[in-house]
Amino acid sequence: MQAAIGETQEHTNNNFKVLPIMISLLIGGFIGLFSETALNVALSDLMHILNVGPATVQWLTTGYLLTLGILVPISGFLLQWFSTRQLFIAALSFSIAGTLVAALASSFEILMVARVIQAVGTGLLLPLLFNTVLVIFPPAKRGQAMGMIGLVIMFAPAIGPTMAGLLIEKLSWNWIFWLSLPFLVIALIFGILYMQNVSKLSKPRIDLMSILLSTIGFGSVVFGFSSAGEGEGGWSSTRVVVFLIIGVVALFIFALRQFRMKEPMMNLRVFKYPMFTVGVLLVLACFMVILSSMLVLPMYLQSGLGLTALAAGLILLPGGVLNGVMSPLMGGLFDKYGPKWLVIPGLVSVAAALWFYSGITTASSITFIIVLHSWLMIGVAMIMMPAQTNAMNQLPRELYPHGTAIMNTLQQISGAVGTAVAVSIMSSGQIKFLKNAANPADPANLPLALTAGIQGAFAFGMIVALIGLIIALFIKRVIVQKH
């Protein structure tokens, strides 16, 4: 990493201390994503420990996503109003405060508050990370830099479930946060000492109506889809329908307002750049596949095959590690060859792996599951960073904050959509299987029913990947202009 960044620094005209900046951002990002996925594995245990039901405990994830859905859209505006150091220190301070409160939490309510505080930190840090990379790295080296981000973003969720399973088995769920806390403090101290201001502040006019519409719109859409995935009435639930309608109407008015403003909060004119639009669509398809698969696969391993949380985490570890290791490699190949020869084979690989997954049964071998997961995650590494980097490369520098905000916001929404649809398909598949079973009350049918539902969820992921493959046929390498 140091060698790659050192070489990059020679190619940039700015006097940025690239290595310290990247270390500060990557440590913070790594721990934020680690604690998120690690806690997801602990949800089943937390239901018993905190004496709450599935619908309630799900709010630890839904509330986190909802906070991101509200905060990330205004991140483009924040990046133009506050310096890199100010945003970094604020992000790490929120992350540390949330992690400390979560580590000390003894009730669901306190843990819920802690998750919201943590989400504020992550919501500030992730857009800052991507925007900083776009500024401090020259276009010819961005693929490599994005690859390093990919290493962190995918490796943290990969070891999260394994570490969580181990900590829950040997200590308690609170140790997920106690383990994270010193690393966040180190990242904050490192950032205070070495973080530089890399962005040029334009301080556009504050438009309270845009902030209100954005909060209502994105918040309602994320909440609506997340609620549909909770299983309380599904898509026909009045709550789901009402919030989705409110969200869509608010976002429509928000979009009209942004196009009419001279200095919009979120500049939607980024979509006039065709490769940005193609890249966003590919990233969204990839995110839907990742989040829906990573939701149903642990369920299959624990409820379908009867494995422990630790065993499930260990099975998912090789694929996650491979994805993390492959991300910098794919970044280097992108710099050399462009996106098409990575993204198209990547989507073919993902679609093929999900097709095989759609045929899994309770008799499928662990080796088969590990190989398929590794295959899937290598394909994801071939898609995510090349598509994202190529998309951002087409934007002029003044649109970086807006492009970053839009990309990160739509990722949150696609994640909520993907998981909601996957859970709905899984639930309906379970119900259909039990209806046709000779003895629906037989407990032996429950793992079989769950597996039948999960087969449908993987088939949905395969369809999304095939749609992405069609979109990928239009991707072209962006020749970066000097802005």
Side-chain angles (χ1 to χ4, degrees), residues 284-368:
L284 299 194
C286 200
F287 232 70
M288 287 180 76
V289 166
I290 293 170
L291 291 193
S292 59
S293 300
M294 291 307 99
L295 177 75
V296 299
L297 192 52
M299 288 183 182
Y300 164 74
L301 293 171
Q302 292 179 65
S303 302
L305 300 186
L307 301 173
T308 63
L310 178 58
L314 288 170
I315 288 168
L316 299 176
L317 185 60
V321 171
L322 260 177
N323 181 282
V325 170
M326 292 292 286
S327 290
L329 175 63
M330 293 303 161
L333 290 173
F334 166 81
D335 286 336
K336 195 170 183 181
Y337 300 109
K340 179 166 274 189
W341 305 113
L342 295 171
V343 170
I344 292 176
L347 282 159
V348 170
S349 297
V350 166
L354 289 168
W355 181 74
F356 280 111
Y357 261 138
S358 68
I360 56 174
T361 67
T362 51
S364 298
S365 72
I366 298 299
T367 304
F368 181 64

Side-chain angles (χ1 to χ4, degrees), residues 247-277:
V248 169
V249 171
L251 287 179
F252 179 73
I253 299 169
F254 172 77
L256 288 179
R257 187 173 182 85
Q258 300 314 294
F259 279 120
R260 289 172 183 170
M261 291 175 66
K262 188 177 179 181
E263 292 184 334
M265 186 187 88
M266 182 181 278
N267 196 335
L268 301 179
R269 293 177 183 85
V270 291
F271 288 109
K272 76 176 185 181
Y273 296 91
M275 287 308 103
F276 176 81
T277 303

Side-chain angles (χ1 to χ4, degrees), residues 365-382:
S365 72
I366 298 299
T367 304
F368 181 64
I369 300 301
I370 292 172
V371 169
L372 274 187
H373 183 241
S374 299
W375 184 4
L376 175 69
M377 297 309 279
I378 289 171
V380 166
M382 297 174 74

Side-chain angles (χ1 to χ4, degrees), residues 147-225:
M148 282 185 283
I149 294 176
L151 172 63
V152 168
I153 286 177
M154 294 313 302
F155 190 66
I159 67 166
T162 310
M163 290 299 296
L166 189 61
L167 291 169
I168 291 165
E169 200 169 282
K170 302 295 182 185
L171 297 164
S172 71
W173 63 269
N174 303 76
W175 279 92
I176 293 170
F177 301 103
W178 285 124
L179 184 69
S180 304
L181 195 58
F183 290 99
L184 289 171
V185 173
I186 290 167
L188 176 59
I189 294 169
F190 206 81
I192 289 171
L193 292 173
Y194 298 110
M195 181 60 69
Q196 294 172 269
N197 293 321
V198 303
S199 299
K200 293 177 181 176
L201 304 184
S202 57
K203 296 195 175 184
R205 185 174 65 88
I206 297 173
D207 182 46
L208 294 177
M209 182 56 72
S210 289
I211 294 173
L212 180 64
L213 288 169
S214 165
T215 301
I216 294 171
F218 289 112
S220 298
V221 168
V222 170
F223 180 75
F225 279 114

